[in-house]
Structures are given as structure tokens and as C-alpha cells.
Amino acid sequence: MQELNKGRYNVTIISPRNHFVFTPLLASTSVGTIEFRCITEPVRSYSNSISYYQAQCSNIDFEKQQVLCTSRIGESTFMLLLEDGESFSLTYDALVIAVGSYCNTFDIPGVKEHAYFLKDVNDARRIRKRIIECFEEASRPGLDEKRKNDLLHFVIVGGGPTGIEFSAELYDFISDDAIRTYPEGLVSRARMTLYDVAPQILGSFDSHLSEYTHEKFKRKDIQIKTRRFVDQVEGDHLVIRNEGKVPYGLLVWATGLMPNPLVETLSDRVALDAQNQRMITDGKLQVLKKVTNSMLQNVYALGDCAKIENNDLPATAQVAMQKASYLAKGISTTTAKTTPAVTNFIFKNRGMMAYIGSSEALVDMSSVHERAKQSGHLAWYLWRSAYFGMTVSTRNKLLIACHWFLTWCFGRDISRF
Ligand SMILES: Cc1cc2nc3c(=O)[nH]c(=O)nc-3n(C[C@H](O)[C@H](O)[C@H](O)COP(=O)(O)OP(=O)(O)OC[C@H]3O[C@@H](n4cnc5c(N)ncnc54)[C@H](O)[C@@H]3O)c2cc1C
């Protein structure tokens, strides 16, 4: 939207969320290292020459070039329902589908109802509230010892970057702030356990960096339990195969992605990847039709909901942004009304980063140079500098810098409201 030629196109954005969320710093907001508004950018503030409707696209009529929408003025969560709200439709000349994905629950009973996800600001807000709630409830007089221990058991399912970064931020909160603000006897009960079905955590990172994180977490008494299957989740415990019931106070679920319901609705007309149900596009990001695999005229898809045929790129903001920039430039510079770029999209992998707690991070740029890997405090400076630089607006850059400074001076705020 930012890079499209607004003199040439009337641009309309349809999204139930009226703001962009800078997800790399989402985990930091879930414990209060920075505040929620530091990472959101209102859609309308990008440009006053676009139209924005707070609605959800519920279906697309490709023949009539029409998008069917449902108004979504209420509070949004990533698990949106497709019912209620007023309906309306809009016609298009060119359509870009970038609806992202949902958290994958693998249909495990109880996950949707009891687990906390970390995909949006609302999720981070709920997690922050729950952490404080666990500490406050555990400090209630007369509560039995077991219940106190259970409430202060924080469980994370998923050892990818999201699960690791959340664990790291929670560890910082407990060791820097909870220790100062809650009675010592209470904080010493706090435990963290991270479960993953894979044999190792951070599988997408270089193996040395993954082992480094494992070692650091071990020293912090964060238990890492790999090759574990969650069979069921209840309100106060989860059931691990061959291990039995594990009580918890907070369960954060960070196990990967599943398709957005809109993609499922379109599955009778568009080609989907058999493995992860993403929409398949050609190298110019044009959506392919089901069965024939011919392209749908003037319909493009990018981000977490799409995949280029025979080119499996990770579902990251880095890929989404590069595709978006490629597409915007392509359709802004060609002479025909909505013809795409001439050359195919090429991804330039700039590497990965993750925060691992206690002012340490990982930087894995082995895709750029074999030896470009870093861990520890220097990597943390790189991690902070990179994400500070990528933050979109100057306003948020200032807010983030202020909150980092305030947290360093006074600690995180533990008010619950
Ligand atoms: C905690 C966390 C940390 C991350 N850290 C990194 C990182 O450090 N580096 C990195 O590269 N990537 C990171 N990612 C991944 C990155 O956020 C995603 O890959 C990226 O946001 C995908 O962009 P997208 O536009 O496809 O989807 P999204 O950013 O999910 O945006 C989808 C938009 O579509 C809207 N929408 C949904 N359904 C509909 C509908 N039916 N109609 C209309 N609108 C709809 C949503 O409200 C949303 O506004 C992280 C993700 C998370 C959750």
C-alpha cells in the first residue's frame, strides 16, 4: 500500500484490524518491556489517498471481480469468526490477497479454549494480564502450596522463534521485576517449561546457535522438553503423552501456522499447497486456479497465506515485505492497467534473529555468508538496532527508545487492568 502508485490506482484496504503490527517486538509487549502502542501503526496514517474499511473479506467472486465483506467494528482477535456484522461487496480491477494465517492448534482438544496465542496485540495484552493474575492469585493468603506452585508454572508449547522469544522475555520479567515486586518466597516458586514435538528447539537456526540457546535456557532453569506430544489441554493442566497431567498457570501456544478461513473458503477455486494449505502463485505472485493451474487474471497473493509454486519460502515478515515491494513496484511501473512485473520474484535472504533473554540474542546470517553467525550480547545490540531501524514511523522509534530506557531505569509495570 505504501509503495503503490496512488496517482494511478484507487487503493482500498479491507482488514478487520485497523493497524499494522510490528510482530518482531510483540513478545516484548507481552511482559511490558515496551508498551503495546510502540508496535502498532494505524492503516489510515500511512496515506490519506487510500480508502480503508474495517471489515473482513468472507468470499471472492473471481468472475464478477467482486469481494464480499462483513463489517468488523468489534474487538478483533486472530481467531475471527465469519458470522455477524453487516455485509457489503466491492468490485476490483486488481486484487491482492494478504490475509496472513492463524495459529495452528492441530485440532488438539482444549487448545483453542484454554491456551494463549501470540499473534496480535490483543493476544499480548491477554498474556500480560494473565501473568500478573497468576502472581497475584498465588500470593493470596490461605492458598495451598500445590496450587501456588501450579499457578506459577508457565508452560510454552513450541520451540520456534516465537516460543523462544516469549520464554526469554518472561524470564527477564521474573528475574528482573517480579523478584523486586513480589515476596521472595513466591517468586522462587516460578518455573518455566518449554515443550516441542521436534528433537531440538529453533530448528530453522544454525545448529550451534540452537545448542547455545539450549545451554543458556538450562542455566536459567527453563526446562526444555523436546520430542513431546500434547494430547489434550484443560483449564489448569495439559496432558503430555507418556508423561501425564502437567498443571499450569499460563499456557502459551506457539506451534506454527494454519490457513486463514478465507483461504479454506477459496479452496474449491484456487490451487493450494498440499502440505500447508497456502495459496499457490506463479513467480509473479499471480494466484493459480485449482486443477488447471492456469493463473487467475489480476489476482495476486503474498505473505503467510501464499506460496510460490515449487519455491517454499518461510512464512516470515521478511519474505512478505519483499514480495509486497516487488508486486507494488511491478504493477506501478508497467504500462498496461494491472499487468505484473516482467521478471519473477527473487527472495534475498538476509538471515534471522531471535532474542534469548538477559540481553542476549542470536543472529544467523549464514544465508549471506557461511560464517556470519553471532550469539550473546553483541548479537543483542544487533537485534535491537535492526528492529529499531525497521520500525516504520519516527513516532514509534521514539516510543520504543523511551520504553527501553524506562524499563532499564525503573523496571516493567506490573499494574493489571
Ligand atoms: C510473535 C511473532 C514474531 C515474529 N517475528 C518475526 C521476525 O522477527 N521476523 C520476521 O521476518 N517475521 C516474524 N514474524 C512473522 C511475521 O509476523 C509474518 O510472517 C507476517 O506478519 C506475515 O505478514 P502477512 O501480511 O502475510 O500477514 P499478517 O501480518 O498476519 O497480516 C494479515 C492481515 O490480514 C487481516 N485479515 C485476516 N483475515 C482477513 C480477512 N478475511 N479479510 C480481510 N483481512 C483479513 C488481518 O487482520 C491482518 O491485518 C513473527 C510473527 C509473530 C507472531
Side-chain angles (χ1 to χ4, degrees):
M1 183 257 280
Q2 272 185 302
E3 290 184 37
L4 267 176
N5 181 346
K6 265 80 89 190
R8 187 163 172 208
Y9 295 106
N10 293 322
V11 181
T12 302
I13 307 278
I14 301 154
S15 174
R17 196 170 73 188
N18 79 345
H19 54 271
F20 162 80
V21 178
F22 188 68
T23 51
L25 296 180
L26 190 61
S28 300
T29 66
S30 68
V31 298
T33 309
I34 55 174
E35 287 301 327
F36 306 112
R37 285 187 189 270
C38 299
I39 60 159
T40 60
E41 312 267 358
V43 171
R44 289 182 186 278
S45 67
Y46 284 103
S47 163
N48 49 18
S49 52
I50 57 132
S51 305
Y52 167 73
Y53 302 117
Q54 187 162 347
Q56 180 174 0
C57 170
S58 46
N59 210 337
I60 301 165
D61 188 328
F62 295 114
E63 313 248 283
K64 293 186 187 154
Q65 306 214 147
Q66 222 173 42
V67 184
L68 311 171
C69 307
T70 311
S71 176
R72 285 272 161 228
I73 305 299
E75 192 164 301
S76 72
T77 72
F78 89 93
M79 290 270 183
L80 294 163
L81 300 168
L82 285 167
E83 304 99 41
D84 62 57
E86 292 294 315
S87 299
F88 62 94
S89 64
L90 296 169
T91 52
Y92 62 82
D93 293 317
L95 175 69
V96 180
I97 307 171
V99 290
S101 55
Y102 280 20
C103 292
N104 203 343
T105 63
F106 299 98
D107 284 333
I108 296 170
V111 176
K112 220 160 148 182
E113 293 78 11
H114 305 295
Y116 286 67
F117 302 93
L118 185 56
K119 191 93 174 90
D120 211 339
V121 176
N122 273 331
D123 302 324
R125 208 170 55 187
R126 289 180 63 232
I127 289 175
R128 190 167 165 190
K129 215 166 132 180
R130 180 64 193 156
I131 295 168
I132 310 294
E133 223 167 69
C134 288
F135 276 98
E136 297 301 347
E137 205 183 327
S139 60
R140 184 159 48 88
L143 200 68
D144 70 70
E145 300 294 300
K146 183 181 177 311
R147 181 73 187 133
K148 279 187 189 192
N149 291 337
D150 293 352
L151 275 168
L152 294 177
H153 184 207
F154 300 99
V155 172
I156 298 100
V157 179
T162 301
I164 293 294
E165 289 199 331
F166 172 72
S167 310
E169 293 282 355
L170 181 59
Y171 174 82
D172 284 358
F173 169 77
I174 295 171
S175 57
D176 298 347
D177 304 290
I179 207 131
R180 281 188 303 111
T181 41
Y182 291 97
E184 202 200 320
L186 195 71
V187 179
S188 58
R189 292 171 189 269
R191 289 180 301 135
M192 289 169 63
T193 311
L194 190 143
Y195 290 96
D196 200 309
V197 71
Q200 62 170 37
I201 54 164
L202 290 178
S204 55
F205 277 72
D206 173 83
S207 59
H208 291 104
L209 296 178
S210 153
E211 280 159 27
Y212 179 86
T213 311
H214 201 122
E215 200 47 44
K216 286 279 163 185
F217 272 31
K218 231 164 86 183
R219 278 196 223 161
K220 289 175 175 148
D221 266 346
I222 303 174
Q223 281 208 62
I224 297 184
K225 296 193 172 185
T226 51
R227 294 193 168 96
R228 298 296 204 283
F229 292 85
V230 177
D231 279 333
Q232 197 183 334
V233 174
E234 294 290 338
D236 58 357
H237 69 267
L238 65 161
V239 181
I240 307 285
R241 196 170 301 167
N242 304 328
E243 195 177 316
K245 282 185 182 181
V246 177
Y248 68 82
L250 167 74
L251 166 64
V252 173
W253 194 265
T255 56
L257 309 172
M258 69 178 205
N260 183 297
L262 176 65
V263 175
E264 282 171 331
T265 307
L266 301 178
S267 62
D268 55 340
R269 286 154 284 162
V270 305
L272 296 188
D273 178 52
Q275 200 192 343
N276 48 30
Q277 300 295 296
R278 293 205 247 166
M279 275 184 283
I280 300 181
T281 71
D282 64 9
K284 297 186 174 79
L285 312 188
Q286 299 172 113
V287 173
L288 301 184
K289 286 185 198 164
K290 197 179 169 131
V291 185
T292 60
N293 265 19
S294 56
M295 60 135 179
L296 265 166
Q297 202 67 38
N298 300 329
V299 181
Y300 307 91
L302 51 87
D304 287 1
C305 69
K307 174 205 155 157
I308 297 175
E309 196 174 21
N310 304 324
N311 185 5
D312 205 1
L313 298 172
T316 62
Q318 196 185 152
V319 175
M321 280 180 66
Q322 286 186 29
K323 280 188 176 179
S325 185
Y326 159 88
L327 185 62
K329 282 194 190 104
I331 61 179
S332 289
T333 50
T334 51
T335 44
K337 206 174 172 189
T338 58
T339 322
V342 182
T343 52
N344 282 347
F345 170 76
I346 298 169
F347 175 56
K348 292 189 189 74
N349 192 340
R350 302 207 168 97
M352 294 174 287
M353 289 187 272
Y355 181 60
I356 58 167
S358 310
S359 306
E360 290 198 55
L362 309 176
V363 175
D364 182 354
M365 292 177 67
S366 42
S367 54
V368 180
H369 188 283
E370 200 189 320
R371 287 163 64 185
K373 295 167 223 164
Q374 188 64 250
S375 53
H377 297 300
L378 177 62
W380 176 69
Y381 284 114
L382 294 173
W383 177 83
R384 275 209 164 175
S385 316
Y387 287 129
F388 180 77
M390 283 180 218
T391 299
V392 186
S393 66
T394 311
R395 177 187 171 276
N396 279 4
K397 279 191 170 60
L398 288 173
L399 276 177
I400 289 171
C402 280
H403 281 284
W404 277 340
F405 181 67
L406 289 174
T407 299
W408 181 66
C409 292
F410 306 108
R412 296 163 182 85
D413 182 9
I414 58 153
S415 317
R416 178 187 168 275
F417 44 84

